[in-house]
Amino acid sequence: MNETPAPPPFLPYWRSVWLKPRQTMAAIYAAPRHALMWLPAIVGGIALMMEAAIVGKFWTQLPFGQVWMSSLLLGPLAGMLNVGILGFFVRQFGKLMQGEGDATRIRLALSWATVPVAFALIPTAIEYYLRATEGESLLTSALLWLRTGLGIWGVLLMCLCVAEAQRFSFKQGALNVLSIFVFFNVLMFLLVPR
């Protein structure tokens, strides 16, 4: 009797992607596809919605519960859209640089690059709650620095994961990601009225 092999354990990827992103991505590409592979992008989308509420200083008008529910409802869609749209541009710029990554590999790389952002969900939610109830404090500043550190690591991780997806060196992966950020900033500069 021929049995289908069970998918590899999912949780070790959440640990290994932090320090071994290229090896982790290679293992993910070799694994059978399953829905949980997109979970980092979904949780990361929720965290990004909460972060946008902090940046927009919504705590002065909206209670934590409303922002939390809105983030839970809209965040998964935002996370998946972020991966889809960013993935399209990463692939196009990567093609110009002779990259080999297909759309699925690039979307998976971007999804897994959001693991630090996903881990920032709890500190972000706590920071919003504290700002809404108590205002600025030493703890909210510490949480801001923690989120900033996780965000920086997320950008580095994105460069490494994209490099693996496109079969690039780290420099080429970083150039690919940096090109996207420059492109979007120039686009915003041209489109936003002054």
Side-chain angles (χ1 to χ4, degrees):
M1 189 175 347
N2 204 357
E3 292 183 20
T4 358
F10 175 71
L11 286 177
Y13 296 147
W14 284 79
R15 286 192 313 264
S16 65
V17 77
W18 288 83
L19 298 176
K20 298 179 181 175
R22 293 188 83 128
Q23 296 92 323
T24 303
M25 291 314 302
I28 288 169
Y29 296 143
R33 303 279 184 260
H34 51 82
L36 290 178
M37 290 297 178
W38 301 103
L39 190 58
I42 291 169
V43 177
I46 297 168
L48 286 173
M49 293 292 285
M50 288 293 300
E51 188 167 330
I54 290 173
V55 171
K57 298 185 179 181
F58 289 8
W59 69 81
T60 59
Q61 300 154 351
L62 297 172
F64 172 78
Q66 275 185 302
V67 171
W68 179 248
M69 287 308 295
S70 299
S71 297
L72 286 177
L73 292 173
L74 299 174
L77 178 62
M80 296 303 287
L81 277 173
N82 184 37
V83 166
I85 293 168
L86 194 58
F88 170 79
F89 286 101
V90 166
R91 184 161 186 234
Q92 300 313 312
F93 279 82
K95 278 182 184 177
L96 294 173
M97 298 168 60
Q98 313 304 306
E100 299 175 24
D102 65 17
T104 302
R105 285 174 64 94
I106 292 168
R107 285 193 303 266
L108 278 169
L110 292 171
S111 177
W112 282 92
T114 60
V115 165
V117 176
F119 270 87
L121 175 59
I122 300 302
T124 305
I126 292 169
E127 183 183 344
Y128 187 93
Y129 178 78
L130 291 174
R131 286 181 185 278
T133 56
E134 299 170 14
E136 193 79 29
S137 70
L138 186 60
L139 183 54
T140 58
S141 296
L143 290 168
L144 172 64
W145 280 105
L146 175 63
R147 286 190 307 108
T148 303
L150 289 169
I152 291 168
W153 187 247
V155 171
L156 288 172
L157 197 58
M158 183 183 297
C159 295
L160 288 163
C161 290
V162 165
E164 181 61 28
Q166 297 273 39
R167 294 181 179 92
F168 281 158
S169 68
F170 172 74
K171 277 192 211 174
Q172 290 171 303
L175 182 60
N176 191 353
V177 170
L178 183 63
S179 300
I180 306 304
F181 286 117
V182 168
F183 172 76
F184 278 114
N185 281 323
V186 168
L187 195 64
M188 291 299 289
F189 178 77
L190 294 174
L191 294 179
V192 173
R194 274 161 205 70

